[in-house]
Amino acid sequence: MLINGIEIDLAKLEKPLLLVKEDEELLFRQLIQSTLEHELIQCQLALSTRKTISLVRDFWLAMYKDREKLYINSEHALLYPIRLIIFELVTQDDYFKRLSKKSFGDEWLSLIYAVVLLQFVLQWIKERFSDNQEVYEALKLLYINSDDNVDDQTSPSREQSIGQAIAVKAIRSEVRENSQEFASLLYQTYNFLHYLHDIEEEKETNKLPSIKNVDDTLNRFYKKRYTTNKSTITG
């Protein structure tokens, strides 16, 4: 699959944070392949790299499955500390739990929720740390694609480990110090997804095209609810 000019083998994503069955892995691969073919440019951050697509899979699985049957793979979690902190901060929020109740057992709805939610979260993180060179250096692989020939079991270098640890601490601190803003982002993303869900029920059409054609709605969301000119979320 060609993403941002780089060929990505969807069978070689990063290892999942959650324990996942082979049939669930295959299902996600089929769903994300179809999603990427729709060229959802409004959600380009969430679908831009192996790392972000792997995080979409984590969110998708957390929304699709029974929460009581979700287990973190501790071995994999150690490999991806940045993915882990984003996953933990988002999934512990009440609005994520509400979304997961709405999408439980629905593979398409879970995917749509996961993609849109991650898009807004990554946008928020990117804006918060765009001027922090030390942190952004560790985060940039979320946004910039690299060669897909990667051995996921290779331990990061000491320098990479330090950079990841700094980024994790910075993200945790940013969310804690701006908890109301982060909560507002998730709340408004919840409302946005609820709106899309209502549109879909009215149209009674396939969910993916409805997401593909919400460019104006997404733009209004950013303009009215989220601004890159300020460090806060308004509305």
Side-chain angles (χ1 to χ4, degrees):
M1 192 79 188
L2 196 65
I3 301 176
N4 290 340
I6 292 181
E7 187 69 29
I8 290 182
D9 186 348
L10 295 177
K12 295 181 180 179
L13 297 177
E14 291 186 334
K15 297 182 184 302
L17 295 177
L18 298 169
L19 294 176
V20 56
K21 297 178 181 178
E22 184 176 347
D23 59 337
E24 293 169 339
E25 184 77 52
L26 179 59
L27 174 60
F28 175 79
R29 201 180 306 159
Q30 294 171 340
L31 295 173
I32 201 67
Q33 174 84 29
S34 179
T35 304
L36 291 168
E37 288 173 354
H38 276 80
E39 298 181 354
L40 306 182
I41 60 174
Q42 303 94 337
C43 296
Q44 58 185 349
L45 285 181
L47 301 171
S48 60
T49 69
R50 293 172 70 249
K51 288 183 177 296
T52 59
I53 295 174
S54 299
L55 193 46
V56 167
R57 179 185 55 195
D58 297 331
F59 281 161
W60 171 78
L61 198 61
M63 290 181 168
Y64 177 55
K65 292 189 66 175
D66 186 342
R67 293 185 63 83
E68 295 182 358
K69 297 180 180 180
L70 296 178
Y71 300 96
I72 292 285
N73 186 319
S74 56
E75 181 181 351
H76 294 176
L78 290 174
L79 292 173
Y80 315 114
I82 294 176
R83 269 178 57 204
L84 179 62
I85 188 60
I86 295 173
F87 179 81
E88 289 180 335
L89 290 172
V90 173
T91 57
Q92 69 186 11
D93 185 85
D94 286 340
Y95 289 107
F96 179 90
K97 295 174 183 177
R98 292 187 190 184
L99 287 173
S100 64
K101 287 182 179 179
K102 290 171 67 68
S103 61
F104 170 66
D106 187 324
E107 65 266 25
W108 279 117
L109 194 58
S110 297
L111 183 67
I112 290 169
Y113 283 6
V115 169
V116 175
L117 179 62
L118 185 58
Q119 170 70 23
F120 292 144
V121 169
L122 288 180
Q123 180 69 38
W124 187 83
I125 291 174
K126 186 176 183 179
E127 291 296 329
R128 304 302 285 196
F129 295 107
S130 59
D131 295 329
N132 187 326
Q133 187 63 34
E134 185 177 33
V135 174
Y136 192 74
E137 190 66 25
L139 292 176
K140 69 180 183 181
L141 288 180
L142 287 172
Y143 310 105
I144 302 174
N145 229 326
S146 57
D147 191 347
D148 198 37
N149 296 319
V150 177
D151 183 358
D152 284 333
Q153 300 188 52
T154 301
S155 299
S157 66
R158 183 175 181 275
E159 181 179 343
Q160 290 173 326
S161 296
I162 292 174
Q164 290 176 357
I166 291 173
V168 167
K169 183 178 180 180
I171 293 171
R172 192 192 305 276
S173 177
E174 190 71 24
V175 171
R176 183 176 60 250
E177 293 176 7
N178 299 279
S179 57
Q180 290 186 336
E181 295 174 12
F182 189 72
S184 178
L185 171 68
L186 297 180
Y187 166 68
Q188 293 176 58
T189 304
Y190 170 84
N191 284 340
F192 178 77
L193 286 168
H194 191 272
Y195 168 71
L196 288 183
H197 186 71
D198 289 344
I199 289 178
E200 188 54 46
E201 288 185 338
E202 291 177 4
K203 291 183 176 180
E204 296 183 353
T205 56
N206 183 278
K207 296 180 180 65
L208 282 176
S210 70
I211 286 289
K212 184 176 185 294
N213 296 320
V214 295
D215 185 58
D216 289 341
T217 307
L218 281 161
N219 288 337
R220 288 198 300 272
F221 180 92
Y222 276 113
K223 184 177 180 180
K224 295 180 179 180
R225 303 299 186 183
Y226 181 85
T227 172
T228 57
N229 297 322
K230 299 179 182 180
S231 59
T232 61
I233 300 168
T234 60

